[in-house]
Amino acid sequence: MPKVDVFDIEGKKVKTIELKEEVFGIEPNETVVHHVLVNYLANQRQGTQSTKTRSEVSGGGRKPWRQKGTGRARQGSIRAPHWVGGGIALGPKPRSYNYTVNKKERQLAIKSLLSSKVLEKELVVVEKLPLKEIKTKEMARVLNNLKVEGKAVILLAEKDEIVQKSARNIEGVKTLQVGTINVYDLLKHKNLVVTEDTVKKLEEVYA
């Protein structure tokens, strides 16, 4: 079983806990992580891009010139795709890029990334985050005490408005709940800061 140290908000080691092997100690599966990441990014796409076909652009209701005798190529409409200002042939239309991924694949991808964070020593476990008021300076001090440098995700077991609002103005820091965890944010942010309660919740959900 993998073991990690638990710190208080002053950065002092409080104890060491064991993590469940099936959640934090599996061999990361890069193929599944990539598959789930592509799915996540596809589902974020708006799909609102649109072009007009020759039937949707204005004008072109009559032949620009007669069929024969002018010496020019025959034309039926000035709104054909090869005319400037004409319709677009085979252009994009609004569509949904959404598709679903197997639930077990999603869970395996999350467990792979959690295990990777443990292996790379990028998982920081804090006993609690007992902030009394919404204060960005205090949250920044806590992260500094925990020696969290660079981009970080603060993962909470449940909604905590004080922590979320205290962290939202710190550059490179994002707060998530166990129910909203995703592969994109875990990959984008180097460090993962969790409380003991979050660890228990993750083990309940993914074990």
Side-chain angles (χ1 to χ4, degrees):
M1 277 187 164
K3 295 181 179 180
V4 291
D5 294 332
V6 179
F7 301 91
D8 61 16
I9 59 173
E10 299 302 322
K12 295 176 183 175
K13 180 180 172 182
V14 178
K15 57 185 170 181
T16 300
I17 60 171
E18 287 189 341
L19 303 173
K20 282 192 176 180
E21 187 84 31
E22 56 266 43
V23 179
F24 294 94
I26 69 169
E27 184 179 342
N29 189 319
E30 292 183 12
T31 303
V32 171
V33 170
H34 177 261
H35 186 198
V36 174
L37 175 64
V38 171
N39 168 251
Y40 176 86
L41 293 174
N43 291 347
Q44 301 307 303
R45 294 183 68 174
Q46 287 184 313
T48 53
Q49 72 277 41
S50 183
T51 52
K52 290 184 177 181
T53 64
R54 62 185 294 169
S55 66
E56 294 170 318
V57 291
S58 60
R62 57 185 282 273
K63 281 174 73 68
W65 51 77
R66 59 196 174 95
Q67 181 82 344
K68 292 179 179 291
T70 64
R72 289 178 289 187
R74 55 195 176 189
Q75 302 292 335
S77 169
I78 62 169
R79 291 298 172 247
H82 60 280
W83 281 75
V84 174
I88 303 296
L90 308 177
K93 283 291 186 183
R95 54 164 285 198
S96 171
Y97 288 89
N98 285 22
Y99 68 96
T100 57
V101 165
N102 187 293
K103 182 181 177 182
K104 286 186 178 180
E105 274 189 300
R106 285 202 311 273
Q107 290 184 331
L108 178 57
I110 295 293
K111 289 192 285 187
S112 293
L113 290 175
L114 292 175
S115 299
S116 177
K117 295 291 183 191
V118 174
L119 286 171
E120 300 293 331
K121 301 192 184 304
E122 294 170 352
L123 179 73
V124 179
V125 183
V126 60
E127 196 173 23
K128 287 180 182 177
L129 286 171
L131 301 187
K132 295 177 182 178
E133 58 180 331
I134 298 169
K135 204 163 187 179
T136 304
K137 189 175 181 180
E138 179 64 16
M139 177 56 76
R141 187 184 72 83
V142 170
L143 293 175
N144 186 55
N145 290 342
L146 295 170
K147 296 179 181 175
V148 175
E149 298 176 355
K151 293 185 175 182
V153 166
I154 299 173
L155 190 61
L156 304 171
E158 53 191 24
K159 186 176 180 180
D160 187 331
E161 200 170 272
I162 294 177
V163 173
Q164 291 170 325
K165 288 187 175 180
S166 295
R168 66 183 175 184
N169 284 334
I170 303 175
E171 187 178 358
V173 175
K174 184 169 185 176
T175 54
L176 293 173
Q177 293 166 238
V178 172
T180 59
I181 191 172
N182 61 81
V183 293
Y184 178 77
D185 284 315
L186 288 179
L187 283 169
K188 183 181 177 183
H189 298 81
K190 179 184 177 183
N191 299 294
L192 178 62
V193 180
V194 297
T195 63
E196 273 195 276
D197 288 341
T198 304
V199 170
K200 291 174 185 174
K201 189 78 177 281
L202 285 168
E203 291 178 340
E204 283 176 19
V205 174
Y206 291 99

